[in-house]
Amino acid sequence: MPATFTFGAGNARKLLRLPLYALGALAALLVPRTAKLWAFGSGIGLGEGALPLYRLARERLGERVRLVWLAGSDAELAEARAAGLDAVAKHSARGFWITLRARVLVVTHGFGDVNRYATGGGFVVQLWHGIPLKKLHLDSPAALRIRGVPDHRYVRAVLSRAYRFAGRGIDLFPVASELVAPRIVSAFGVRRERVVALGDVRDDVLLSGDPGASREAARTLIADAAGPLGGATRVVLYAPTWRDGAPDPGAPTREEWQLIARWLEARDAVLLVRSHPLGLGDYAAGPAASDRIRMLGSRELVDVTPALPGVDVLVTDYSSIAYDYALVDGPIVFFAPDVELYARARGLYENYRIFSDDRYVTSWPHVLEHLDAAGTASPLGERIARLTTWLREEHFDRPDGRAAERVLHEILVRTGADAAGAAPDGRLPRARLVEAVVEDAADGPALRVTVADPSRPVTGVRLEGPRARVDAVVDGPGALTVRLPLLAARWGTPQLALPSGSYRLTLDAEVPTSRLELDAELPPRYEHPLFHAELLARAGGLELRVSAPLADDERGARNQRRLERAYRRSRPSPEDAVFLESFYGQSASCNPAGIARMLRRIRPEVTRYWSVVDGSVAIPEGDVRLIEGSREWWRVRAAARALVVNDWLRKRYRPRPHQHVLQTWHGTMLKRLGIDRPNVGLRTRVAVRRESERWDALLTQNNYSARIFRSAYAFGRETWDEGYPRNDRLVSGADAGRIRAAVGIPDGARVVLYAPTWRDDRTEMVDYLDLTSFAAELGDDHVMLVRGHSRTLRYGRDLEGDRLIDVTSYPNVADLLEVADVLVTDYSSVMFDFSATGRPVIFFTPDLAHYSSDLRGFYFDLLAEAPGPVVRTREELLDAIADADTARERYRQQSSRWRERFTPLDDGHAGERVVRRMIDAGWFPTD
């Protein structure tokens, strides 16, 4: 089935139509509109929220206003007239004239639902087709492209301006809830006061009337569209979303269709497949495999919403249909085989793991397992049911089936027409926030909140962000007051700030909620030496926005440009100091930490400054924290005699005569780097060469790395082949007990560390395992540590599960290698560092061919030289972990050769050699 639309193609067509838009805008200036004419249209045909609003308006307004349905095809025109609607072809001259004259224009997808060239000056009501989970328009990189035009920031800027111009033409945008409103404001560029939580008109059919009658009517719709259901006990609907012209990876294989057919037969069930009308996927093999598999596409049923009460279980991925189906209280199975790729290409408004309660599956066999659990009293079945309740209560403010009445009333009020009476309210009761104060105390600052009238017994209150959370336990019912500390211990370091970002206040209950009615005045911004914080009423709840402790004249792009100009003009006196930065300031770790530790011992008079992103980053005792972008940060960057970094320098570094830069990098490489990567463009080649020219010396772990660095970074200066200071501690293992306690590893537990590298085509940590369930399968005597690459730290959220600890935000990977009994990795440089321990390593490489051929490429054959087993499936990995100690004997010779080649200098003294070399090279003055 070919895809009929992509963003790129749609944007290209709009550009070609610019002359027609201009003529239509001119006509709109000359032709007056009349309040006695309203026009309606929908992108799917006769349906969506526009149809019930049309019918209600006809009932309430009578003959005072002419209501016209603008049809996009002859079939839709005939269907509308057969249904008794006053209908006109929207692309005809009459359609243009009606759009031009109508005071009110009601659409569900865009201005093209009516005659797109004649909307200027009309009162446009956008009844969007569902709550967005996937990002839209201005929020999505996929929407800001033009087919045949390079993806450039100037192109994106032009399209952004066009979307914002269109957004200003929307006069009323009803949404399901205050939680949804910020998404619409951001995506469409609509003024906030025009986005109103009145409810989704299209969902009224799911919320009004007798449930039994609604189910019977829905089953009749399904039977008319997909054939008789017979006595089928279960109807399963599979509804994947659109992928902007890309193939649907959820389409079953022939073998999977056979598996699905057997499952349906055994359970007397029917599977309805509703692929997106703009999607791309071959589902023809399904009906061919079994008459229990039926297509229910837009050709069979234009509007699927009225059919949802007749469905027993929904299977979907990122479609807004999940929100709609939650209104009928049905179980949902989330099938997302491409979640990370989709989130990167399109973007999601909610973290998918939270949205799906961390139970999405990636294969059809697992879909069938979840379908068996849905609707049962099993733990998984009850978890599925609770998620449905959460989706409904969190995302809908007025689930009373009367949204059309409220929308009609709002249109009349805003257009100055007679709106007799009051609109129905229909709001769900929400807990009230009656106090919110940031207070100082002896043990540090804290957020004190008081909540009244919770709808369910509250067991706890939390502030939660992507990589950190603060919890408070609640005792007793009724109004509750809790205190949430804003400085907390992280990985054994006390009194650190929360990582910068937004933290939403959530009430823990049987069904948790972040939805609160704010009945309190919020305090001004709170300033602390480690962080700044601001309380905001946002998305129907309370958010704490934490930021780095920068002064007002240090914040923002304009102030940073001013500070940078001053930095470049400055002529500071040299300071006997070292400027240290690791992973762009996200931690004080890696080789810079090993060098700092040795400087502390050999040259303690040299000040050690750590460049960090904010006050959540722990630094060694006795060292000095520098907040990136602060005035002091810029000063030290110019004054320090040495800069030691493990990644690129940033922000237009300007070297001074007294300064030297040591690039330590962050690992020996299997995957290709820099300009050794395939298909590297000219811009990247220039940037790589410019960067490497800033380095006075480059530290390498071995001769193999030195040779590659010279090629990958076109580096012509001296390499210091001294080994990696970050691994000095691995030789002794002296800190293992302290590290286990800081991480929270139970005594006696066998530690499996899973540390995959990052992918150029992803943002979050790659996950081929469903790690929460995988950790549970390892056994009660195991703990699995999950370590994402540093470049995934700012994305995603920490995993949670039994016997699983997400250590992506743990500052120093060397600590984790020290306590790991078994390392599982893929192409990460930790494979080299870990060899110093002599403990077993397993290579889990399900995407070996794709990574080596399409993404990066390798410098050597991993399969031939790996010092441990290379496995590709979940089952093989489980077996390899259980057999790890035995396998170590089988790989003894390969491991020995590996260490001789890659870690001959990781002997516990690399840090000392590097510091002595810095001193001998005159980087620090001597007496």
Tab-separated table of all heavy atoms in Angstrom, residues 224-256:
chain	number	residue	atom	x	y	z
A	224	ASP	N	-20.554	-4.205	9.460
A	224	ASP	CA	-20.857	-3.639	8.138
A	224	ASP	C	-19.585	-3.350	7.355
A	224	ASP	O	-19.557	-3.471	6.123
A	224	ASP	CB	-21.666	-2.347	8.305
A	224	ASP	CG	-23.086	-2.607	8.807
A	224	ASP	OD1	-23.537	-3.764	8.736
A	224	ASP	OD2	-23.735	-1.641	9.274
A	225	ALA	N	-18.525	-2.957	8.062
A	225	ALA	CA	-17.282	-2.567	7.388
A	225	ALA	C	-16.348	-3.741	7.137
A	225	ALA	O	-15.651	-3.774	6.110
A	225	ALA	CB	-16.554	-1.509	8.219
A	226	ALA	N	-16.303	-4.709	8.058
A	226	ALA	CA	-15.297	-5.776	7.977
A	226	ALA	C	-15.893	-7.165	7.842
A	226	ALA	O	-15.147	-8.149	7.818
A	226	ALA	CB	-14.406	-5.728	9.225
A	227	GLY	N	-17.203	-7.278	7.789
A	227	GLY	CA	-17.825	-8.581	7.664
A	227	GLY	C	-18.369	-9.077	8.996
A	227	GLY	O	-17.957	-8.608	10.062
A	228	PRO	N	-19.279	-10.017	8.969
A	228	PRO	CA	-19.908	-10.516	10.207
A	228	PRO	C	-18.874	-11.058	11.183
A	228	PRO	O	-17.909	-11.719	10.791
A	228	PRO	CB	-20.842	-11.621	9.698
A	228	PRO	CG	-21.056	-11.323	8.247
A	228	PRO	CD	-19.800	-10.676	7.759
A	229	LEU	N	-19.099	-10.734	12.457
A	229	LEU	CA	-18.184	-11.200	13.496
A	229	LEU	C	-18.582	-12.560	14.034
A	229	LEU	O	-17.805	-13.201	14.752
A	229	LEU	CB	-18.145	-10.181	14.643
A	229	LEU	CG	-17.649	-8.789	14.256
A	229	LEU	CD1	-17.766	-7.836	15.449
A	229	LEU	CD2	-16.220	-8.839	13.759
A	230	GLY	N	-19.792	-12.995	13.709
A	230	GLY	CA	-20.243	-14.280	14.209
A	230	GLY	C	-20.297	-14.292	15.727
A	230	GLY	O	-20.657	-13.316	16.366
A	231	GLY	N	-19.895	-15.379	16.297
A	231	GLY	CA	-19.908	-15.475	17.761
A	231	GLY	C	-18.562	-15.210	18.384
A	231	GLY	O	-18.282	-15.708	19.483
A	232	ALA	N	-17.709	-14.454	17.692
A	232	ALA	CA	-16.362	-14.197	18.217
A	232	ALA	C	-16.433	-13.598	19.611
A	232	ALA	O	-17.170	-12.644	19.858
A	232	ALA	CB	-15.613	-13.253	17.283
A	233	THR	N	-15.665	-14.166	20.520
A	233	THR	CA	-15.708	-13.695	21.900
A	233	THR	C	-14.839	-12.470	22.127
A	233	THR	O	-15.064	-11.723	23.063
A	233	THR	CB	-15.235	-14.809	22.855
A	233	THR	OG1	-13.919	-15.224	22.468
A	233	THR	CG2	-16.172	-15.994	22.788
A	234	ARG	N	-13.837	-12.252	21.273
A	234	ARG	CA	-12.950	-11.097	21.429
A	234	ARG	C	-12.688	-10.455	20.070
A	234	ARG	O	-12.420	-11.140	19.092
A	234	ARG	CB	-11.604	-11.491	22.051
A	234	ARG	CG	-11.681	-12.008	23.458
A	234	ARG	CD	-10.288	-12.321	23.983
A	234	ARG	NE	-9.614	-11.145	24.513
A	234	ARG	CZ	-8.331	-11.116	24.872
A	234	ARG	NH1	-7.586	-12.187	24.723
A	234	ARG	NH2	-7.792	-10.025	25.376
A	235	VAL	N	-12.736	-9.138	20.069
A	235	VAL	CA	-12.377	-8.369	18.884
A	235	VAL	C	-11.141	-7.551	19.236
A	235	VAL	O	-11.176	-6.722	20.155
A	235	VAL	CB	-13.524	-7.451	18.433
A	235	VAL	CG1	-13.053	-6.544	17.293
A	235	VAL	CG2	-14.721	-8.278	17.991
A	236	VAL	N	-10.053	-7.797	18.534
A	236	VAL	CA	-8.787	-7.098	18.761
A	236	VAL	C	-8.571	-6.131	17.595
A	236	VAL	O	-8.685	-6.524	16.425
A	236	VAL	CB	-7.605	-8.092	18.845
A	236	VAL	CG1	-6.295	-7.337	19.078
A	236	VAL	CG2	-7.849	-9.111	19.947
A	237	LEU	N	-8.276	-4.883	17.913
A	237	LEU	CA	-8.003	-3.877	16.895
A	237	LEU	C	-6.525	-3.528	16.926
A	237	LEU	O	-5.994	-3.134	17.969
A	237	LEU	CB	-8.839	-2.623	17.143
A	237	LEU	CG	-8.547	-1.419	16.233
A	237	LEU	CD1	-8.867	-1.752	14.778
A	237	LEU	CD2	-9.330	-0.192	16.692
A	238	TYR	N	-5.864	-3.662	15.774
A	238	TYR	CA	-4.467	-3.233	15.654
A	238	TYR	C	-4.442	-1.959	14.827
A	238	TYR	O	-4.844	-1.953	13.656
A	238	TYR	CB	-3.619	-4.324	14.994
A	238	TYR	CG	-2.202	-3.883	14.693
A	238	TYR	CD1	-1.430	-3.228	15.657
A	238	TYR	CD2	-1.632	-4.111	13.446
A	238	TYR	CE1	-0.136	-2.813	15.389
A	238	TYR	CE2	-0.322	-3.707	13.168
A	238	TYR	CZ	0.412	-3.056	14.147
A	238	TYR	OH	1.689	-2.636	13.867
A	239	ALA	N	-3.965	-0.851	15.436
A	239	ALA	CA	-4.003	0.454	14.783
A	239	ALA	C	-2.653	1.153	14.919
A	239	ALA	O	-2.459	1.969	15.827
A	239	ALA	CB	-5.114	1.309	15.384
A	240	PRO	N	-1.698	0.865	14.048
A	240	PRO	CA	-0.412	1.575	14.087
A	240	PRO	C	-0.557	2.978	13.514
A	240	PRO	O	-1.471	3.256	12.735
A	240	PRO	CB	0.483	0.708	13.195
A	240	PRO	CG	-0.463	0.088	12.208
A	240	PRO	CD	-1.744	-0.141	12.971
A	241	THR	N	0.355	3.848	13.889
A	241	THR	CA	0.288	5.225	13.422
A	241	THR	C	1.073	5.400	12.131
A	241	THR	O	1.722	4.477	11.622
A	241	THR	CB	0.804	6.198	14.496
A	241	THR	OG1	0.409	7.529	14.160
A	241	THR	CG2	2.320	6.153	14.618
A	242	TRP	N	1.057	6.624	11.650
A	242	TRP	CA	1.717	7.009	10.395
A	242	TRP	C	3.196	7.293	10.640
A	242	TRP	O	3.573	7.827	11.668
A	242	TRP	CB	0.989	8.259	9.891
A	242	TRP	CG	1.588	8.977	8.762
A	242	TRP	CD1	1.958	8.476	7.556
A	242	TRP	CD2	1.847	10.387	8.713
A	242	TRP	NE1	2.433	9.475	6.748
A	242	TRP	CE2	2.374	10.671	7.431
A	242	TRP	CE3	1.682	11.440	9.602
A	242	TRP	CZ2	2.737	11.943	7.044
A	242	TRP	CZ3	2.038	12.702	9.204
A	242	TRP	CH2	2.561	12.944	7.937
A	243	ARG	N	4.032	6.934	9.685
A	243	ARG	CA	5.480	7.119	9.824
A	243	ARG	C	6.053	7.999	8.722
A	243	ARG	O	7.159	7.786	8.262
A	243	ARG	CB	6.173	5.759	9.867
A	243	ARG	CG	5.970	5.077	11.225
A	243	ARG	CD	6.379	3.633	11.206
A	243	ARG	NE	6.439	3.087	12.544
A	243	ARG	CZ	5.393	2.697	13.267
A	243	ARG	NH1	4.170	2.811	12.762
A	243	ARG	NH2	5.544	2.207	14.483
A	244	ASP	N	5.291	8.994	8.304
A	244	ASP	CA	5.755	9.993	7.349
A	244	ASP	C	6.364	9.357	6.112
A	244	ASP	O	7.447	9.726	5.651
A	244	ASP	CB	6.764	10.947	8.001
A	244	ASP	CG	7.030	12.178	7.131
A	244	ASP	OD1	6.106	12.601	6.417
A	244	ASP	OD2	8.154	12.694	7.150
A	245	GLY	N	5.663	8.377	5.574
A	245	GLY	CA	6.117	7.749	4.338
A	245	GLY	C	7.034	6.571	4.512
A	245	GLY	O	7.330	5.879	3.532
A	246	ALA	N	7.538	6.327	5.713
A	246	ALA	CA	8.437	5.188	5.949
A	246	ALA	C	7.627	3.917	6.148
A	246	ALA	O	6.462	3.949	6.561
A	246	ALA	CB	9.297	5.457	7.179
A	247	PRO	N	8.218	2.753	5.866
A	247	PRO	CA	7.501	1.490	6.065
A	247	PRO	C	7.155	1.266	7.526
A	247	PRO	O	7.844	1.743	8.421
A	247	PRO	CB	8.510	0.438	5.574
A	247	PRO	CG	9.464	1.185	4.712
A	247	PRO	CD	9.544	2.562	5.266
A	248	ASP	N	6.087	0.543	7.744
A	248	ASP	CA	5.650	0.205	9.097
A	248	ASP	C	6.396	-1.051	9.550
A	248	ASP	O	6.175	-2.128	9.009
A	248	ASP	CB	4.139	-0.032	9.100
A	248	ASP	CG	3.605	-0.384	10.473
A	248	ASP	OD1	4.403	-0.449	11.426
A	248	ASP	OD2	2.387	-0.594	10.591
A	249	PRO	N	7.280	-0.931	10.553
A	249	PRO	CA	8.049	-2.105	10.980
A	249	PRO	C	7.212	-3.113	11.751
A	249	PRO	O	7.689	-4.201	12.042
A	249	PRO	CB	9.138	-1.505	11.871
A	249	PRO	CG	8.509	-0.270	12.427
A	249	PRO	CD	7.637	0.266	11.337
A	250	GLY	N	5.979	-2.745	12.095
A	250	GLY	CA	5.124	-3.666	12.837
A	250	GLY	C	4.365	-4.641	11.956
A	250	GLY	O	3.697	-5.547	12.470
A	251	ALA	N	4.439	-4.474	10.637
A	251	ALA	CA	3.741	-5.397	9.743
A	251	ALA	C	4.294	-6.805	9.944
A	251	ALA	O	5.496	-7.029	9.821
A	251	ALA	CB	3.918	-4.954	8.294
A	252	PRO	N	3.434	-7.784	10.258
A	252	PRO	CA	3.934	-9.135	10.556
A	252	PRO	C	4.562	-9.818	9.347
A	252	PRO	O	4.209	-9.546	8.197
A	252	PRO	CB	2.663	-9.884	11.007
A	252	PRO	CG	1.692	-8.817	11.403
A	252	PRO	CD	1.990	-7.661	10.492
A	253	THR	N	5.505	-10.704	9.629
A	253	THR	CA	6.063	-11.565	8.589
A	253	THR	C	5.067	-12.690	8.300
A	253	THR	O	4.057	-12.852	8.998
A	253	THR	CB	7.392	-12.170	9.048
A	253	THR	OG1	7.142	-13.017	10.194
A	253	THR	CG2	8.389	-11.086	9.433
A	254	ARG	N	5.370	-13.474	7.271
A	254	ARG	CA	4.470	-14.587	6.959
A	254	ARG	C	4.355	-15.544	8.134
A	254	ARG	O	3.262	-16.014	8.469
A	254	ARG	CB	4.994	-15.331	5.718
A	254	ARG	CG	4.163	-16.554	5.348
A	254	ARG	CD	4.655	-17.194	4.068
A	254	ARG	NE	4.528	-16.286	2.941
A	254	ARG	CZ	4.878	-16.619	1.686
A	254	ARG	NH1	5.379	-17.821	1.427
A	254	ARG	NH2	4.730	-15.739	0.718
A	255	GLU	N	5.487	-15.831	8.771
A	255	GLU	CA	5.448	-16.736	9.920
A	255	GLU	C	4.644	-16.125	11.062
A	255	GLU	O	3.903	-16.839	11.769
A	255	GLU	CB	6.873	-17.041	10.390
A	255	GLU	CG	7.708	-17.857	9.412
A	255	GLU	CD	8.195	-17.039	8.222
A	255	GLU	OE1	8.153	-15.780	8.310
A	255	GLU	OE2	8.615	-17.642	7.222
A	256	GLU	N	4.767	-14.827	11.265
A	256	GLU	CA	4.015	-14.185	12.338
A	256	GLU	C	2.527	-14.171	12.035
A	256	GLU	O	1.703	-14.318	12.952
A	256	GLU	CB	4.547	-12.769	12.555
A	256	GLU	CG	5.916	-12.740	13.235
A	256	GLU	CD	6.538	-11.348	13.266
A	256	GLU	OE1	6.202	-10.517	12.398
A	256	GLU	OE2	7.386	-11.108	14.145
